[in-house]
PDB file of all heavy atoms in Angstrom:
ATOM      1  N   LEU T   1     -15.140   2.523  10.688  1.00 97.00           N
ATOM      2  CA  LEU T   1     -15.856   2.480   9.416  1.00 97.00           C
ATOM      3  C   LEU T   1     -15.441   1.301   8.550  1.00 97.00           C
ATOM      4  O   LEU T   1     -16.100   0.985   7.569  1.00 97.00           O
ATOM      5  CB  LEU T   1     -15.622   3.780   8.630  1.00 97.00           C
ATOM      6  CG  LEU T   1     -16.468   5.004   9.020  1.00 97.00           C
ATOM      7  CD1 LEU T   1     -16.116   5.515  10.400  1.00 97.00           C
ATOM      8  CD2 LEU T   1     -16.283   6.118   7.991  1.00 97.00           C
ATOM      9  N   VAL T   2     -14.303   0.647   8.904  1.00 97.00           N
ATOM     10  CA  VAL T   2     -13.730  -0.401   8.060  1.00 97.00           C
ATOM     11  C   VAL T   2     -14.262  -1.758   8.482  1.00 97.00           C
ATOM     12  O   VAL T   2     -13.960  -2.248   9.580  1.00 97.00           O
ATOM     13  CB  VAL T   2     -12.190  -0.393   8.128  1.00 97.00           C
ATOM     14  CG1 VAL T   2     -11.617  -1.443   7.180  1.00 97.00           C
ATOM     15  CG2 VAL T   2     -11.636   0.988   7.790  1.00 97.00           C
ATOM     16  N   GLU T   3     -15.033  -2.375   7.614  1.00 96.00           N
ATOM     17  CA  GLU T   3     -15.575  -3.705   7.881  1.00 96.00           C
ATOM     18  C   GLU T   3     -14.576  -4.801   7.536  1.00 96.00           C
ATOM     19  O   GLU T   3     -14.406  -5.762   8.298  1.00 96.00           O
ATOM     20  CB  GLU T   3     -16.855  -3.903   7.073  1.00 96.00           C
ATOM     21  CG  GLU T   3     -17.561  -5.238   7.325  1.00 96.00           C
ATOM     22  CD  GLU T   3     -18.210  -5.292   8.693  1.00 96.00           C
ATOM     23  OE1 GLU T   3     -18.674  -4.252   9.191  1.00 96.00           O
ATOM     24  OE2 GLU T   3     -18.243  -6.398   9.281  1.00 96.00           O
ATOM     25  N   ARG T   4     -13.917  -4.672   6.375  1.00 96.00           N
ATOM     26  CA  ARG T   4     -13.045  -5.760   5.922  1.00 96.00           C
ATOM     27  C   ARG T   4     -11.625  -5.304   5.621  1.00 96.00           C
ATOM     28  O   ARG T   4     -10.677  -5.784   6.203  1.00 96.00           O
ATOM     29  CB  ARG T   4     -13.647  -6.426   4.678  1.00 96.00           C
ATOM     30  CG  ARG T   4     -14.985  -7.098   4.920  1.00 96.00           C
ATOM     31  CD  ARG T   4     -15.512  -7.723   3.639  1.00 96.00           C
ATOM     32  NE  ARG T   4     -16.842  -8.307   3.825  1.00 96.00           N
ATOM     33  CZ  ARG T   4     -17.581  -8.791   2.839  1.00 96.00           C
ATOM     34  NH1 ARG T   4     -17.123  -8.761   1.588  1.00 96.00           N
ATOM     35  NH2 ARG T   4     -18.784  -9.298   3.082  1.00 96.00           N
ATOM     36  N   ARG T   5     -11.458  -4.402   4.653  1.00 97.00           N
ATOM     37  CA  ARG T   5     -10.114  -4.108   4.167  1.00 97.00           C
ATOM     38  C   ARG T   5      -9.895  -2.607   4.000  1.00 97.00           C
ATOM     39  O   ARG T   5     -10.780  -1.884   3.557  1.00 97.00           O
ATOM     40  CB  ARG T   5      -9.903  -4.795   2.810  1.00 97.00           C
ATOM     41  CG  ARG T   5      -8.506  -4.667   2.214  1.00 97.00           C
ATOM     42  CD  ARG T   5      -7.469  -5.446   3.014  1.00 97.00           C
ATOM     43  NE  ARG T   5      -7.732  -6.852   3.018  1.00 97.00           N
ATOM     44  CZ  ARG T   5      -7.256  -7.721   2.099  1.00 97.00           C
ATOM     45  NH1 ARG T   5      -6.499  -7.277   1.132  1.00 97.00           N
ATOM     46  NH2 ARG T   5      -7.531  -9.005   2.175  1.00 97.00           N
ATOM     47  N   LEU T   6      -8.688  -2.161   4.385  1.00 98.00           N
ATOM     48  CA  LEU T   6      -8.277  -0.773   4.213  1.00 98.00           C
ATOM     49  C   LEU T   6      -7.056  -0.735   3.308  1.00 98.00           C
ATOM     50  O   LEU T   6      -6.114  -1.517   3.480  1.00 98.00           O
ATOM     51  CB  LEU T   6      -7.919  -0.158   5.571  1.00 98.00           C
ATOM     52  CG  LEU T   6      -7.281   1.229   5.552  1.00 98.00           C
ATOM     53  CD1 LEU T   6      -8.301   2.277   5.121  1.00 98.00           C
ATOM     54  CD2 LEU T   6      -6.696   1.577   6.917  1.00 98.00           C
ATOM     55  N   TYR T   7      -7.086   0.181   2.341  1.00 98.00           N
ATOM     56  CA  TYR T   7      -5.933   0.413   1.477  1.00 98.00           C
ATOM     57  C   TYR T   7      -5.495   1.868   1.624  1.00 98.00           C
ATOM     58  O   TYR T   7      -6.326   2.775   1.558  1.00 98.00           O
ATOM     59  CB  TYR T   7      -6.267   0.133   0.004  1.00 98.00           C
ATOM     60  CG  TYR T   7      -6.604  -1.307  -0.286  1.00 98.00           C
ATOM     61  CD1 TYR T   7      -7.910  -1.689  -0.578  1.00 98.00           C
ATOM     62  CD2 TYR T   7      -5.615  -2.293  -0.273  1.00 98.00           C
ATOM     63  CE1 TYR T   7      -8.225  -3.010  -0.850  1.00 98.00           C
ATOM     64  CE2 TYR T   7      -5.923  -3.619  -0.535  1.00 98.00           C
ATOM     65  CZ  TYR T   7      -7.234  -3.966  -0.824  1.00 98.00           C
ATOM     66  OH  TYR T   7      -7.546  -5.277  -1.084  1.00 98.00           O
ATOM     67  N   ILE T   8      -4.192   2.071   1.808  1.00 97.00           N
ATOM     68  CA  ILE T   8      -3.639   3.419   1.907  1.00 97.00           C
ATOM     69  C   ILE T   8      -2.626   3.629   0.788  1.00 97.00           C
ATOM     70  O   ILE T   8      -1.743   2.787   0.574  1.00 97.00           O
ATOM     71  CB  ILE T   8      -2.963   3.649   3.271  1.00 97.00           C
ATOM     72  CG1 ILE T   8      -4.003   3.644   4.386  1.00 97.00           C
ATOM     73  CG2 ILE T   8      -2.195   4.964   3.277  1.00 97.00           C
ATOM     74  CD1 ILE T   8      -3.437   3.931   5.761  1.00 97.00           C
ATOM     75  N   VAL T   9      -2.775   4.734   0.076  1.00 96.00           N
ATOM     76  CA  VAL T   9      -1.790   5.164  -0.910  1.00 96.00           C
ATOM     77  C   VAL T   9      -1.154   6.444  -0.387  1.00 96.00           C
ATOM     78  O   VAL T   9      -1.854   7.370   0.033  1.00 96.00           O
ATOM     79  CB  VAL T   9      -2.440   5.420  -2.283  1.00 96.00           C
ATOM     80  CG1 VAL T   9      -1.384   5.917  -3.280  1.00 96.00           C
ATOM     81  CG2 VAL T   9      -3.121   4.160  -2.811  1.00 96.00           C
ATOM     82  N   GLY T  10       0.161   6.489  -0.371  1.00 95.00           N
ATOM     83  CA  GLY T  10       0.861   7.673   0.107  1.00 95.00           C
ATOM     84  C   GLY T  10       2.154   7.881  -0.654  1.00 95.00           C
ATOM     85  O   GLY T  10       2.513   7.095  -1.543  1.00 95.00           O
ATOM     86  N   VAL T  11       2.863   8.929  -0.307  1.00 95.00           N
ATOM     87  CA  VAL T  11       4.163   9.222  -0.915  1.00 95.00           C
ATOM     88  C   VAL T  11       5.140   9.574   0.198  1.00 95.00           C
ATOM     89  O   VAL T  11       4.800  10.294   1.139  1.00 95.00           O
ATOM     90  CB  VAL T  11       4.055  10.367  -1.951  1.00 95.00           C
ATOM     91  CG1 VAL T  11       3.521  11.650  -1.329  1.00 95.00           C
ATOM     92  CG2 VAL T  11       5.384  10.603  -2.644  1.00 95.00           C
ATOM     93  N   ASP T  12       6.338   9.027   0.116  1.00 95.00           N
ATOM     94  CA  ASP T  12       7.359   9.362   1.098  1.00 95.00           C
ATOM     95  C   ASP T  12       7.704  10.852   1.010  1.00 95.00           C
ATOM     96  O   ASP T  12       7.765  11.411  -0.096  1.00 95.00           O
ATOM     97  CB  ASP T  12       8.624   8.531   0.855  1.00 95.00           C
ATOM     98  CG  ASP T  12       8.483   7.100   1.333  1.00 95.00           C
ATOM     99  OD1 ASP T  12       7.807   6.875   2.348  1.00 95.00           O
ATOM    100  OD2 ASP T  12       9.059   6.193   0.692  1.00 95.00           O
ATOM    101  N   PRO T  13       7.923  11.517   2.133  1.00 93.00           N
ATOM    102  CA  PRO T  13       8.235  12.955   2.107  1.00 93.00           C
ATOM    103  C   PRO T  13       9.484  13.247   1.273  1.00 93.00           C
ATOM    104  O   PRO T  13      10.439  12.462   1.266  1.00 93.00           O
ATOM    105  CB  PRO T  13       8.473  13.288   3.576  1.00 93.00           C
ATOM    106  CG  PRO T  13       7.769  12.217   4.335  1.00 93.00           C
ATOM    107  CD  PRO T  13       7.883  10.982   3.497  1.00 93.00           C
ATOM    108  N   TYR T  14       9.451  14.386   0.592  1.00 89.00           N
ATOM    109  CA  TYR T  14      10.624  14.793  -0.188  1.00 89.00           C
ATOM    110  C   TYR T  14      10.954  16.272  -0.014  1.00 89.00           C
ATOM    111  O   TYR T  14      11.930  16.761  -0.574  1.00 89.00           O
ATOM    112  CB  TYR T  14      10.417  14.485  -1.674  1.00 89.00           C
ATOM    113  CG  TYR T  14       9.169  15.108  -2.283  1.00 89.00           C
ATOM    114  CD1 TYR T  14       9.157  16.423  -2.717  1.00 89.00           C
ATOM    115  CD2 TYR T  14       8.007  14.354  -2.435  1.00 89.00           C
ATOM    116  CE1 TYR T  14       8.019  16.991  -3.274  1.00 89.00           C
ATOM    117  CE2 TYR T  14       6.862  14.911  -2.991  1.00 89.00           C
ATOM    118  CZ  TYR T  14       6.879  16.223  -3.408  1.00 89.00           C
ATOM    119  OH  TYR T  14       5.749  16.779  -3.956  1.00 89.00           O
ATOM    120  N   VAL T  15      10.165  16.994   0.758  1.00 84.00           N
ATOM    121  CA  VAL T  15      10.388  18.429   0.958  1.00 84.00           C
ATOM    122  C   VAL T  15      11.331  18.652   2.132  1.00 84.00           C
ATOM    123  O   VAL T  15      11.134  18.091   3.219  1.00 84.00           O
ATOM    124  CB  VAL T  15       9.054  19.163   1.209  1.00 84.00           C
ATOM    125  CG1 VAL T  15       9.313  20.637   1.513  1.00 84.00           C
ATOM    126  CG2 VAL T  15       8.144  19.018   0.009  1.00 84.00           C
ATOM    127  N   GLY T  16      12.360  19.464   1.924  1.00 73.00           N
ATOM    128  CA  GLY T  16      13.264  19.836   3.004  1.00 73.00           C
ATOM    129  C   GLY T  16      14.221  18.742   3.431  1.00 73.00           C
ATOM    130  O   GLY T  16      14.869  18.861   4.469  1.00 73.00           O
ATOM    131  N   LEU T  17      14.331  17.674   2.633  1.00 73.00           N
ATOM    132  CA  LEU T  17      15.227  16.576   2.975  1.00 73.00           C
ATOM    133  C   LEU T  17      16.483  16.651   2.106  1.00 73.00           C
ATOM    134  O   LEU T  17      16.421  16.983   0.923  1.00 73.00           O
ATOM    135  CB  LEU T  17      14.532  15.229   2.763  1.00 73.00           C
ATOM    136  CG  LEU T  17      13.269  14.988   3.594  1.00 73.00           C
ATOM    137  CD1 LEU T  17      12.667  13.622   3.263  1.00 73.00           C
ATOM    138  CD2 LEU T  17      13.579  15.080   5.082  1.00 73.00           C
ATOM    139  N   GLN T  18      17.625  16.328   2.692  1.00 76.00           N
ATOM    140  CA  GLN T  18      18.875  16.331   1.959  1.00 76.00           C
ATOM    141  C   GLN T  18      18.925  15.138   1.006  1.00 76.00           C
ATOM    142  O   GLN T  18      18.456  14.052   1.330  1.00 76.00           O
ATOM    143  CB  GLN T  18      20.062  16.261   2.929  1.00 76.00           C
ATOM    144  CG  GLN T  18      20.170  17.453   3.867  1.00 76.00           C
ATOM    145  CD  GLN T  18      20.431  18.747   3.117  1.00 76.00           C
ATOM    146  OE1 GLN T  18      21.177  18.768   2.145  1.00 76.00           O
ATOM    147  NE2 GLN T  18      19.804  19.826   3.566  1.00 76.00           N
ATOM    148  N   SER T  19      19.499  15.363  -0.165  1.00 81.00           N
ATOM    149  CA  SER T  19      19.627  14.293  -1.145  1.00 81.00           C
ATOM    150  C   SER T  19      21.018  14.360  -1.762  1.00 81.00           C
ATOM    151  O   SER T  19      21.556  15.448  -2.007  1.00 81.00           O
ATOM    152  CB  SER T  19      18.556  14.423  -2.234  1.00 81.00           C
ATOM    153  OG  SER T  19      18.721  13.427  -3.221  1.00 81.00           O
ATOM    154  N   ASP T  20      21.586  13.187  -2.027  1.00 83.00           N
ATOM    155  CA  ASP T  20      22.926  13.124  -2.610  1.00 83.00           C
ATOM    156  C   ASP T  20      22.902  13.210  -4.131  1.00 83.00           C
ATOM    157  O   ASP T  20      23.953  13.384  -4.744  1.00 83.00           O
ATOM    158  CB  ASP T  20      23.634  11.824  -2.187  1.00 83.00           C
ATOM    159  CG  ASP T  20      23.890  11.760  -0.691  1.00 83.00           C
ATOM    160  OD1 ASP T  20      24.073  12.838  -0.087  1.00 83.00           O
ATOM    161  OD2 ASP T  20      23.896  10.649  -0.138  1.00 83.00           O
ATOM    162  N   ASP T  21      21.733  13.053  -4.739  1.00 91.00           N
ATOM    163  CA  ASP T  21      21.668  13.049  -6.200  1.00 91.00           C
ATOM    164  C   ASP T  21      20.959  14.299  -6.707  1.00 91.00           C
ATOM    165  O   ASP T  21      20.139  14.909  -6.014  1.00 91.00           O
ATOM    166  CB  ASP T  21      20.959  11.796  -6.717  1.00 91.00           C
ATOM    167  CG  ASP T  21      19.511  11.730  -6.275  1.00 91.00           C
ATOM    168  OD1 ASP T  21      19.257  11.257  -5.137  1.00 91.00           O
ATOM    169  OD2 ASP T  21      18.636  12.162  -7.041  1.00 91.00           O
ATOM    170  N   ALA T  22      21.264  14.676  -7.936  1.00 94.00           N
ATOM    171  CA  ALA T  22      20.747  15.913  -8.522  1.00 94.00           C
ATOM    172  C   ALA T  22      19.236  15.884  -8.665  1.00 94.00           C
ATOM    173  O   ALA T  22      18.565  16.900  -8.429  1.00 94.00           O
ATOM    174  CB  ALA T  22      21.408  16.159  -9.883  1.00 94.00           C
ATOM    175  N   ALA T  23      18.685  14.735  -9.040  1.00 95.00           N
ATOM    176  CA  ALA T  23      17.231  14.642  -9.198  1.00 95.00           C
ATOM    177  C   ALA T  23      16.534  14.893  -7.871  1.00 95.00           C
ATOM    178  O   ALA T  23      15.542  15.630  -7.793  1.00 95.00           O
ATOM    179  CB  ALA T  23      16.843  13.277  -9.756  1.00 95.00           C
ATOM    180  N   GLY T  24      17.036  14.294  -6.810  1.00 94.00           N
ATOM    181  CA  GLY T  24      16.441  14.486  -5.493  1.00 94.00           C
ATOM    182  C   GLY T  24      16.529  15.920  -5.031  1.00 94.00           C
ATOM    183  O   GLY T  24      15.602  16.451  -4.403  1.00 94.00           O
ATOM    184  N   GLN T  25      17.647  16.578  -5.308  1.00 95.00           N
ATOM    185  CA  GLN T  25      17.802  17.979  -4.926  1.00 95.00           C
ATOM    186  C   GLN T  25      16.797  18.858  -5.651  1.00 95.00           C
ATOM    187  O   GLN T  25      16.199  19.767  -5.058  1.00 95.00           O
ATOM    188  CB  GLN T  25      19.227  18.427  -5.225  1.00 95.00           C
ATOM    189  CG  GLN T  25      20.284  17.767  -4.348  1.00 95.00           C
ATOM    190  CD  GLN T  25      21.693  18.042  -4.820  1.00 95.00           C
ATOM    191  OE1 GLN T  25      21.924  18.934  -5.633  1.00 95.00           O
ATOM    192  NE2 GLN T  25      22.646  17.274  -4.326  1.00 95.00           N
ATOM    193  N   LEU T  26      16.570  18.594  -6.944  1.00 96.00           N
ATOM    194  CA  LEU T  26      15.610  19.384  -7.712  1.00 96.00           C
ATOM    195  C   LEU T  26      14.188  19.160  -7.217  1.00 96.00           C
ATOM    196  O   LEU T  26      13.414  20.116  -7.062  1.00 96.00           O
ATOM    197  CB  LEU T  26      15.720  19.035  -9.202  1.00 96.00           C
ATOM    198  CG  LEU T  26      16.945  19.590  -9.920  1.00 96.00           C
ATOM    199  CD1 LEU T  26      17.126  18.908 -11.272  1.00 96.00           C
ATOM    200  CD2 LEU T  26      16.836  21.102 -10.088  1.00 96.00           C
ATOM    201  N   ILE T  27      13.832  17.909  -6.940  1.00 95.00           N
ATOM    202  CA  ILE T  27      12.488  17.612  -6.449  1.00 95.00           C
ATOM    203  C   ILE T  27      12.257  18.271  -5.095  1.00 95.00           C
ATOM    204  O   ILE T  27      11.194  18.850  -4.830  1.00 95.00           O
ATOM    205  CB  ILE T  27      12.270  16.082  -6.360  1.00 95.00           C
ATOM    206  CG1 ILE T  27      12.174  15.473  -7.762  1.00 95.00           C
ATOM    207  CG2 ILE T  27      11.012  15.752  -5.562  1.00 95.00           C
ATOM    208  CD1 ILE T  27      10.993  15.961  -8.578  1.00 95.00           C
ATOM    209  N   SER T  28      13.259  18.227  -4.227  1.00 94.00           N
ATOM    210  CA  SER T  28      13.126  18.866  -2.918  1.00 94.00           C
ATOM    211  C   SER T  28      12.979  20.382  -3.062  1.00 94.00           C
ATOM    212  O   SER T  28      12.172  21.006  -2.356  1.00 94.00           O
ATOM    213  CB  SER T  28      14.344  18.536  -2.050  1.00 94.00           C
ATOM    214  OG  SER T  28      14.219  19.131  -0.776  1.00 94.00           O
ATOM    215  N   GLN T  29      13.722  20.973  -3.985  1.00 95.00           N
ATOM    216  CA  GLN T  29      13.617  22.415  -4.208  1.00 95.00           C
ATOM    217  C   GLN T  29      12.238  22.795  -4.752  1.00 95.00           C
ATOM    218  O   GLN T  29      11.658  23.810  -4.335  1.00 95.00           O
ATOM    219  CB  GLN T  29      14.704  22.870  -5.184  1.00 95.00           C
ATOM    220  CG  GLN T  29      16.110  22.831  -4.607  1.00 95.00           C
ATOM    221  CD  GLN T  29      17.172  23.117  -5.648  1.00 95.00           C
ATOM    222  OE1 GLN T  29      16.950  23.889  -6.574  1.00 95.00           O
ATOM    223  NE2 GLN T  29      18.315  22.469  -5.522  1.00 95.00           N
ATOM    224  N   ILE T  30      11.716  21.987  -5.654  1.00 96.00           N
ATOM    225  CA  ILE T  30      10.378  22.253  -6.198  1.00 96.00           C
ATOM    226  C   ILE T  30       9.339  22.199  -5.081  1.00 96.00           C
ATOM    227  O   ILE T  30       8.486  23.077  -4.948  1.00 96.00           O
ATOM    228  CB  ILE T  30      10.038  21.251  -7.312  1.00 96.00           C
ATOM    229  CG1 ILE T  30      10.886  21.530  -8.554  1.00 96.00           C
ATOM    230  CG2 ILE T  30       8.547  21.313  -7.666  1.00 96.00           C
ATOM    231  CD1 ILE T  30      10.779  20.471  -9.633  1.00 96.00           C
ATOM    232  N   GLY T  31       9.412  21.153  -4.262  1.00 94.00           N
ATOM    233  CA  GLY T  31       8.457  21.023  -3.162  1.00 94.00           C
ATOM    234  C   GLY T  31       8.597  22.148  -2.143  1.00 94.00           C
ATOM    235  O   GLY T  31       7.597  22.659  -1.620  1.00 94.00           O
ATOM    236  N   SER T  32       9.831  22.557  -1.880  1.00 94.00           N
ATOM    237  CA  SER T  32      10.057  23.606  -0.881  1.00 94.00           C
ATOM    238  C   SER T  32       9.519  24.946  -1.342  1.00 94.00           C
ATOM    239  O   SER T  32       8.874  25.665  -0.567  1.00 94.00           O
ATOM    240  CB  SER T  32      11.553  23.710  -0.581  1.00 94.00           C
ATOM    241  OG  SER T  32      12.028  22.519   0.033  1.00 94.00           O
ATOM    242  N   VAL T  33       9.772  25.319  -2.601  1.00 94.00           N
ATOM    243  CA  VAL T  33       9.282  26.609  -3.077  1.00 94.00           C
ATOM    244  C   VAL T  33       7.764  26.583  -3.221  1.00 94.00           C
ATOM    245  O   VAL T  33       7.083  27.582  -2.954  1.00 94.00           O
ATOM    246  CB  VAL T  33       9.970  27.018  -4.404  1.00 94.00           C
ATOM    247  CG1 VAL T  33       9.483  26.194  -5.578  1.00 94.00           C
ATOM    248  CG2 VAL T  33       9.766  28.500  -4.680  1.00 94.00           C
ATOM    249  N   ARG T  34       7.218  25.443  -3.611  1.00 94.00           N
ATOM    250  CA  ARG T  34       5.743  25.312  -3.660  1.00 94.00           C
ATOM    251  C   ARG T  34       5.134  25.565  -2.292  1.00 94.00           C
ATOM    252  O   ARG T  34       4.198  26.363  -2.149  1.00 94.00           O
ATOM    253  CB  ARG T  34       5.377  23.910  -4.161  1.00 94.00           C
ATOM    254  CG  ARG T  34       3.886  23.596  -4.160  1.00 94.00           C
ATOM    255  CD  ARG T  34       3.670  22.091  -4.138  1.00 94.00           C
ATOM    256  NE  ARG T  34       4.207  21.490  -2.922  1.00 94.00           N
ATOM    257  CZ  ARG T  34       4.624  20.214  -2.845  1.00 94.00           C
ATOM    258  NH1 ARG T  34       4.583  19.418  -3.895  1.00 94.00           N
ATOM    259  NH2 ARG T  34       5.086  19.738  -1.694  1.00 94.00           N
ATOM    260  N   ASP T  35       5.670  24.897  -1.269  1.00 93.00           N
ATOM    261  CA  ASP T  35       5.109  25.047   0.073  1.00 93.00           C
ATOM    262  C   ASP T  35       5.319  26.457   0.615  1.00 93.00           C
ATOM    263  O   ASP T  35       4.454  27.008   1.308  1.00 93.00           O
ATOM    264  CB  ASP T  35       5.737  24.021   1.018  1.00 93.00           C
ATOM    265  CG  ASP T  35       5.271  22.602   0.721  1.00 93.00           C
ATOM    266  OD1 ASP T  35       4.448  22.431  -0.202  1.00 93.00           O
ATOM    267  OD2 ASP T  35       5.731  21.673   1.411  1.00 93.00           O
ATOM    268  N   ALA T  36       6.466  27.077   0.302  1.00 92.00           N
ATOM    269  CA  ALA T  36       6.722  28.441   0.750  1.00 92.00           C
ATOM    270  C   ALA T  36       5.708  29.406   0.146  1.00 92.00           C
ATOM    271  O   ALA T  36       5.176  30.289   0.843  1.00 92.00           O
ATOM    272  CB  ALA T  36       8.142  28.854   0.368  1.00 92.00           C
TER     273      ALA T  36
END
């Protein structure tokens, strides 16, 4: 379907991944409980 140019917007996974910082741990917990 692409004649000339393709643009992709995405986000790196953050659910269920270990993080060394408090912000990352909270974001992972939010994503995990949402998905559960």
Side-chain angles (χ1 to χ4, degrees):
L1 279 67
V2 183
E3 183 71 33
R4 297 180 184 173
R5 184 69 63 90
L6 172 70
Y7 295 108
I8 293 183
V9 178
V11 59
D12 284 325
Y14 56 82
V15 176
L17 300 179
Q18 297 296 322
S19 177
D20 295 330
D21 63 276
Q25 292 170 15
L26 286 166
I27 289 297
S28 181
Q29 290 173 33
I30 290 171
S32 295
V33 73
R34 176 202 63 207
D35 289 359

